[in-house]
Amino acid sequence: MIGAGVRSGVLKMFGLCVLAGVLVAGLLLPAATGAGAMVNETTDAMSRMQGSLARRDMPQVSTIADKDGQPLAYLFDDYRVETKPEQVPDTMKAAITAVEDRRFWDHEGVDWHGTARALATNIGSGETSQGASTITQQYVKNYLVHVAANNQMEAEQAKETTVARKLREAKIALELERTMTKEEILTGYLNVVPFGNQTFGVGAAAQTYFGTSPDQLTIAQSALLAAIVNQPGSLNPNTNPEDALERRNLVIDLMADPRNNLRITEEDAELAKQEPLGVLSPLGRPPNGCVGVGDGATDGFFCTYVVDYLDKLGLDSDELKTGGYTVRTTMDRTATDAAKEAARNNVPTQTDGIANAMSAVEPGTDKHKVRALVASRDYGNDASKGQTAYDIVSRVQPFGAGSIYKVFTAAAAIEQGMSIDDTVDVPPSYTSQVYSNGTNPYTVGNAEGVDPGPTSLQMALAKSPNTTFVALQEKVGLNNAVDMASRLGLRTGMNGVNTSGQTLDEDGSNGPAQGDYIKQNNLGPFTLGFTPTSVLELSNVGATIMSGGVFCPPTPIEEVTDRHGNPVPLNEPGCEQAVAPQVANELAQGLSKDDTEGTSRAAAEASGWNRPMIGKTGTTQEHKSAAFLAATPQLSGAVLTYADGNRPEGICDGGGDAPPFLCGTDGGNIYGGKVPARTWFEAMTKIHEGVPVAPLPGNP
């Protein structure tokens, strides 16, 4: 006597054979598919799907958030919010089974009754007017297309109209019914099926169309989503509301069919059909990428930096778009908004040919956390609106920071035993005996307002005489000054880009590195800061000084967790003692007079600044860029104002509240103590509100 289990297996295999015949005869498909190829396709597909299902690794949206967990941006290929079985309401279960597979709760993966019915209809009509795919089979197809496929070719193969594909779906469907519960299968299907508008799964669809979570879906909403599944393109409720409404009401009627395992009452059905579609306009699907869910114009630069940073650590953008990670960054909303407002107030967003970029880094001996990366330019692709999608804040820009580089010469001198109280000479003009200007001697003068005569190194840093620091660079050695720039923070600026600010190719074809070139060519103007510079690296120099000489690579990451909430280890580079604490502290004291007696005094007074800080201004020779680096014990920041057009010109300061403007290739009167310093003090005054006043390192 044959047992029930054996009979069931025999019937299933018989059903597969019947299905093969149905597919050939009923669907009128070519019969040329080889049996061996069909078996191989099925085996491969089952292996991929079962392995993937075991890991539950369907593509998920990754979220980039600020330090407090507020989302900045979402990254995805397909917008999908994974939903658990208990989050799927009965209304959605009733709607999708009523319209897609009424016998779902009864069959074992392949609906032989439905197959026979479709066969009869197709033969009677002479065309393929009905299919017979169950929800389980549709789950297989959608999973193979949208999850398991490794490329577009595999995705196309997973949905091609062939006998092999139908047999493959049926076999996998039978296997899934053996290893998964009906609830798991239905939830899995609802997590992978497309709902149009780049939205996949009921969790994302509930948000996209109604701005709600799946567990809150009403009868009418569930019915509309079930209707869209049939034809996501043509039944788009925003572009084709009439057909979408008609199909939704049909689904509602089907939901009330007494033959359903899950059904609604006739009264509820009539009430639901009276409801409007209620679809959001615009749709609630979040923007994809660094345009951001909030102020993408502000946060895009930070977001881009985060994506690039993670890519260098091995977590590339493709993985981010599918992995369902949560990236909690170091971005501080208060600091970012204050910096953005200050940058834009001093250089309006659409100012022709001029950008104003600012970064802020928090000092520390274990991490240097990046708190803000902003620019007067908005982040975006419309240049006519003053937007740019190029990272102009963290990457090296082809413009110098001017006399800020005197900090490195002074640091090298202090390391060699010089005190900030030691006397240095300030001649009105100085001709170098070490450096040359081509075949001519290298002669340098001072900016207007710099008085000649002896002074202390501390006051020289505040007043910024060029002649003093060229002579001092001769004394400490150019190589030592260049190395000091790298040690304190300009790691990429000195070692990772060429003299045009371009990232070095791996084969070295566009080298040498900027620092090596300066050394090899004995370029005396190094201390005057003519070389391409990163605003982010400049601010990290201040963080190193304020951290007792401890250099840490700037990081935008607080933590990364996977889709299950588990921490993702990142091999971030560590910190190092770049210079001795006494050198860093002496340097901090040396830079402490800029806001009270130096080149940023006017900007500091105008802002009402009244707390200890270090600072150094800088301006390039042709006034095409100017910068300000300054820090308190709590936060270091740098500002670079530069000509960012295709044909850079000198920049003129507008004076008062007037914005700067381009004033020709031979003109310009901008200085680091003007727009850059005004931007820094405006931002930092707001950021430091309520923050305790702290003394500088090495304070007597």
Side-chain angles (χ1 to χ4, degrees):
M1 187 171 182
I2 300 175
V6 175
R7 284 200 305 273
S8 177
V10 170
L11 286 173
K12 288 180 182 178
M13 292 309 299
F14 175 73
L16 275 175
C17 294
V18 171
L19 180 59
V22 169
L23 291 170
V24 175
L27 299 179
L28 304 176
L29 296 174
T33 305
M38 189 161 51
V39 171
N40 289 337
E41 282 187 20
T42 303
T43 302
D44 291 344
M46 287 183 68
S47 176
R48 285 200 308 274
M49 187 169 185
Q50 289 171 357
S52 187
L53 279 169
R55 297 188 301 270
R56 295 293 195 271
D57 58 354
M58 69 176 61
Q60 287 288 295
V61 176
S62 289
T63 303
I64 297 179
D66 65 17
K67 71 179 183 66
D68 297 317
Q70 293 301 308
L72 303 179
Y74 296 115
L75 306 177
F76 54 87
D77 282 333
D78 302 328
Y79 178 45
R80 180 184 283 106
V81 179
E82 191 166 359
T83 302
K84 298 178 181 178
E86 61 269 21
Q87 295 173 305
V88 181
D90 286 343
T91 56
M92 192 67 228
K93 296 175 185 177
I96 201 68
T97 54
V99 70
E100 292 294 325
D101 186 3
R102 185 174 58 82
R103 290 174 45 79
F104 170 75
W105 302 102
D106 302 319
H107 63 64
E108 294 181 284
V110 179
D111 185 358
W112 308 115
H113 296 83
T115 298
R117 192 166 56 248
L119 170 61
T121 302
N122 292 341
I123 290 176
S125 65
E127 60 184 19
T128 307
S129 59
Q130 283 193 16
S133 292
T134 65
I135 279 178
T136 312
Q137 288 171 278
Q138 292 181 51
Y139 178 29
V140 171
K141 174 186 174 182
N142 280 286
Y143 199 98
L144 291 174
V145 172
H146 301 299
V147 179
N150 294 314
N151 50 56
Q152 187 61 34
M153 181 178 295
E154 289 187 2
E156 293 299 326
Q157 290 173 345
K159 57 186 177 182
E160 61 188 1
T161 309
T162 64
V163 174
R165 198 260 290 177
K166 280 292 184 181
L167 280 173
R168 179 179 63 202
E169 286 178 7
K171 187 172 183 180
I172 299 175
L174 290 171
E175 180 65 16
L176 290 183
E177 292 272 352
R178 187 181 68 82
T179 58
M180 298 173 67
T181 68
K182 285 288 188 180
E183 290 284 351
E184 289 174 335
I185 291 171
L186 184 57
T187 304
Y189 167 76
L190 286 171
N191 271 320
V192 299
V193 68
F195 285 89
N197 289 294
Q198 205 183 350
T199 299
F200 291 76
V202 66
Q207 174 62 39
T208 294
Y209 292 106
F210 304 114
T212 189
S213 57
D215 58 306
Q216 299 298 313
L217 289 170
T218 66
I219 291 173
Q221 291 170 340
S222 296
L224 178 59
L225 295 185
I228 293 172
V229 165
N230 182 254
Q231 297 178 40
S234 61
L235 292 175
N236 187 326
N238 268 4
T239 59
N240 193 5
E242 294 84 4
D243 288 350
L245 181 63
E246 181 180 353
R247 178 73 178 178
R248 184 204 71 173
N249 289 346
L250 171 62
V251 174
I252 293 174
D253 286 335
L254 292 174
M255 292 170 71
D257 190 322
R259 293 172 296 176
N260 295 337
N261 290 65
L262 293 174
R263 62 182 295 267
I264 61 175
T265 66
E266 294 286 351
E267 293 79 10
D268 287 341
E270 289 304 315
L271 289 173
K273 286 193 293 184
Q274 301 306 311
E275 294 183 21
L277 287 178
V279 174
L280 297 177
S281 183
L283 295 176
R285 179 174 65 81
N288 183 9
C290 287
V291 291
V293 296
D295 190 355
T298 295
D299 303 340
F301 296 108
F302 200 102
C303 174
T304 299
Y305 172 57
V306 169
V307 173
D308 289 345
Y309 185 88
L310 290 175
D311 182 69
K312 292 174 183 176
L313 294 180
L315 188 56
D316 63 31
S317 59
D318 289 338
E319 177 66 16
L320 279 175
K321 290 178 181 178
T322 59
Y325 296 96
T326 298
V327 181
R328 187 164 65 89
T329 72
T330 58
M331 197 203 86
D332 181 273
R333 171 54 59 196
T334 299
T336 295
D337 289 348
K340 174 66 175 183
E341 184 179 11
R344 189 165 46 196
N345 285 346
N346 285 275
V347 181
T349 298
Q350 297 193 45
T351 300
D352 183 36
I354 304 174
N356 196 26
M358 180 175 183
S359 66
V361 175
E362 184 178 309
T365 55
D366 57 346
K367 272 191 172 186
H368 286 178
K369 298 178 180 181
V370 183
R371 294 306 191 189
L373 292 172
V374 302
S376 58
R377 300 289 186 208
D378 287 341
Y379 185 85
N381 297 308
D382 192 343
S384 67
K385 295 181 179 179
Q387 297 177 353
T388 178
Y390 179 67
D391 184 1
I392 62 175
V393 190
S394 67
R395 292 189 177 183
V396 174
Q397 299 303 304
F399 294 91
S403 293
I404 290 175
Y405 276 43
K406 293 170 183 173
V407 170
F408 309 128
T409 303
I414 292 170
E415 187 173 60
Q416 293 177 19
M418 191 173 186
S419 166
I420 61 171
D421 296 320
D422 287 349
T423 300
V424 292
D425 192 24
V426 184
S429 177
Y430 182 77
T431 299
S432 174
Q433 302 301 309
V434 175
Y435 312 120
S436 62
N437 181 14
T439 58
N440 299 317
Y442 178 55
T443 300
V444 64
N446 295 321
E448 184 178 348
V450 176
D451 297 326
T455 190
S456 67
L457 177 59
Q458 183 180 48
M459 289 310 300
L461 284 166
K463 298 294 186 179
S464 199
N466 297 332
T467 55
T468 300
F469 283 94
V470 169
L472 186 59
Q473 184 178 255
E474 289 180 350
K475 181 178 179 181
V476 302
L478 175 62
N479 288 6
N480 291 328
V482 172
D483 290 343
M484 182 60 72
S486 175
R487 289 162 61 189
L488 289 178
L490 303 190
R491 302 295 172 99
T492 301
M494 291 297 104
N495 311 306
V497 299
N498 61 22
T499 54
S500 297
Q502 299 171 330
T503 301
L504 295 178
D505 293 335
E506 291 185 3
D507 60 5
S509 58
N510 66 339
Q514 184 166 228
D516 291 337
Y517 184 87
I518 292 167
K519 294 177 183 177
Q520 293 165 8
N521 290 274
N522 198 34
L523 298 182
F526 172 75
T527 194
L528 305 184
F530 70 94
T531 57
T533 304
S534 159
V535 187
L536 172 59
E537 287 199 323
L538 271 185
S539 58
N540 199 38
V541 168
T544 300
I545 296 170
M546 285 299 193
S547 303
V550 174
F551 166 83
C552 301
T555 177
I557 304 298
E558 285 285 0
E559 65 173 354
V560 178
T561 54
D562 64 19
R563 67 180 66 207
H564 306 296
N566 301 314
V568 176
L570 298 174
N571 188 24
E572 292 187 272
C575 304
E576 63 186 65
Q577 191 74 48
V579 297
Q582 58 269 30
V583 172
N585 294 345
E586 179 91 354
L587 182 60
Q589 289 299 314
L591 293 166
S592 65
K593 299 293 186 181
D594 200 83
D595 62 316
T596 56
E597 301 180 57
T599 50
S600 65
R601 177 179 176 179
E605 289 179 347
S607 70
W609 185 263
N610 60 0
R611 62 173 68 216
M613 59 169 282
I614 65 172
K616 186 71 192 77
T617 61
T619 309
T620 53
Q621 186 173 3
E622 296 178 331
H623 297 273
K624 293 179 180 177
S625 62
F628 186 50
L629 164 62
T632 67
Q634 294 95 340
L635 196 63
S636 174
V639 179
L640 180 67
T641 308
Y642 64 97
D644 69 340
N646 293 328
R647 301 180 65 181
E649 299 179 12
I651 301 173
C652 280
D653 186 80
D657 295 330
F661 57 93
L662 297 177
C663 49
T665 55
D666 299 324
N669 67 356
I670 195 171
Y671 287 96
K674 294 185 177 181
V675 171
R678 290 197 290 263
T679 300
W680 191 97
F681 283 110
E682 180 181 338
M684 289 296 191
T685 298
K686 292 182 180 179
I687 294 170
H688 282 78
E689 287 180 359
V691 176
V693 175
L696 295 179
N699 194 43

